[in-house]
Amino acid sequence: MSSKRRNKKKKNSVLSAVVVIILAAVYLVWGKEDAEPTRSGLIPVELIKTIDGDTIKIKYEGKEQNVRYLLIDTPETSHPRLGKQPFGEKAKERNQELLNSGKLEIEFDIGEKYDKYNRLLAYIYIDGESVQEKLLEEGLARVAYVYPPNTRHLDAYEKAQERAKKAGIGIWTLEDYATDRGFDSDTYSITDKNTETNSKTDAEESFKNCTELRKKYPNGVKKGHPAYSERMDGDKDGYACE
């Protein structure tokens, strides 16, 4: 092979390598925009209790700890000063329903992990779906307590809140009830337990035995559910009457 042909072949090889590198760079830049975010940061935990619409108790790192949901706020259910607010019970019930419907996981942001009350600050997921976003979208919560750098999902939450506002559902059915400072208890308050529409009590559900429980919950219930009872959890696996 002549020197001229060898040089030409070498140039073609270099050119091909450059093209491959350029294409790879383009893919990395543009491909990332369309890629789904990873969920490697989600931590499976055990639900102990649903406290209200934006606070739960879980078992994490071997001990029971309260968790305050990041970036949202729901109306109060039994605040010492504010009392019981409209949609507070409904938010708690919906939160509890979601938490009992699948695998519970939490995600931390890059900022503070605990608040001043020593509660964990986290994003909450059931089967990979955001509970915060669901509550916002259903008009049972407002975007609140935005403290950078714990703002990873702020854009998605604000969009979910805007959808609820446009639909005029939940807390957005009450004019000027949800404000930047919280929920207006002075204008909207619950002075009688019968004034909140479609509200259920928070009392535990009681069943005589698993036969009775399965009439309402065919697959049984897990720990944290209002109907869960240790006496009906024979193998102590966290599920009753499964």
Side-chain angles (χ1 to χ4, degrees):
M1 182 183 295
S2 67
S3 175
K4 189 173 182 180
R5 288 185 63 187
R6 281 198 299 270
N7 289 337
K8 184 177 180 181
K9 187 175 182 180
K10 186 176 181 180
K11 288 180 180 178
N12 288 338
S13 298
V14 172
L15 182 60
S16 297
V18 170
V19 170
V20 169
I21 291 171
I22 292 173
L23 289 174
V26 169
Y27 173 79
L28 288 173
V29 171
W30 295 101
K32 279 186 177 180
E33 291 186 0
D34 296 326
E36 289 294 321
T38 64
R39 288 300 184 200
S40 58
L42 268 61
I43 306 167
V45 294
E46 177 187 349
L47 176 68
I48 301 300
K49 180 183 179 182
T50 303
I51 297 174
D52 56 28
D54 54 34
T55 314
I56 59 175
K57 184 185 289 291
I58 64 169
K59 190 170 185 179
Y60 172 69
E61 293 187 338
K63 62 181 180 179
E64 294 185 4
Q65 301 189 58
N66 287 350
V67 183
R68 179 64 169 80
Y69 290 15
L70 278 168
L71 298 180
I72 73 165
D73 181 35
T74 61
E76 299 292 344
T77 56
S78 58
H79 193 277
R81 180 173 60 83
L82 299 173
K84 187 175 181 179
Q85 297 176 314
F87 293 99
E89 292 292 345
K90 195 169 183 64
K92 176 179 179 178
E93 290 164 8
R94 183 57 174 145
N95 186 30
Q96 186 167 265
E97 182 182 5
L98 291 168
L99 295 175
N100 286 316
S101 66
K103 181 181 178 182
L104 172 62
E105 296 172 299
I106 63 173
E107 176 190 26
F108 296 117
D109 213 323
I110 60 174
E112 292 294 328
K113 192 174 178 180
Y114 289 88
D115 67 7
K116 62 182 179 180
Y117 303 109
N118 203 35
R119 299 177 299 186
L120 285 168
L121 298 170
Y123 301 109
I124 313 300
Y125 297 88
I126 289 295
D127 293 337
E129 298 295 323
S130 170
V131 173
Q132 274 112 313
E133 192 168 337
K134 192 73 173 174
L135 293 171
L136 287 164
E137 196 166 46
E138 293 181 7
L140 297 174
R142 69 185 183 97
V143 173
Y145 303 113
V146 180
Y147 301 122
N150 283 346
T151 56
R152 181 177 301 159
H153 302 299
L154 180 59
D155 287 347
Y157 289 4
E158 288 180 334
K159 289 176 182 177
Q161 175 176 267
E162 192 58 33
R163 289 193 291 272
K165 278 186 178 182
K166 287 182 178 179
I169 57 177
I171 59 176
W172 307 110
T173 61
L174 303 178
E175 187 177 2
D176 298 325
Y177 173 48
T179 73
D180 292 338
R181 303 174 306 282
F183 297 96
D184 189 352
S185 294
D186 294 330
T187 303
Y188 300 100
S189 62
I190 297 177
T191 56
D192 185 273
K193 65 181 180 180
N194 296 319
T195 59
E196 187 173 26
T197 306
N198 298 324
S199 178
K200 300 177 183 177
T201 66
D202 295 322
E204 294 182 358
E205 294 183 72
S206 179
F207 295 91
K208 292 181 180 180
N209 50 48
C210 283
T211 300
E212 293 298 315
L213 185 145
R214 291 194 191 100
K215 289 179 181 179
K216 185 172 182 180
Y217 304 105
N219 299 317
V221 295
K222 69 178 181 177
K223 191 172 183 179
H225 191 282
Y228 175 86
S229 172
E230 288 189 358
R231 67 181 176 81
M232 290 191 281
D233 184 1
D235 54 6
K236 307 301 179 186
D237 65 346
Y239 281 84
C241 305
E242 75 272 33

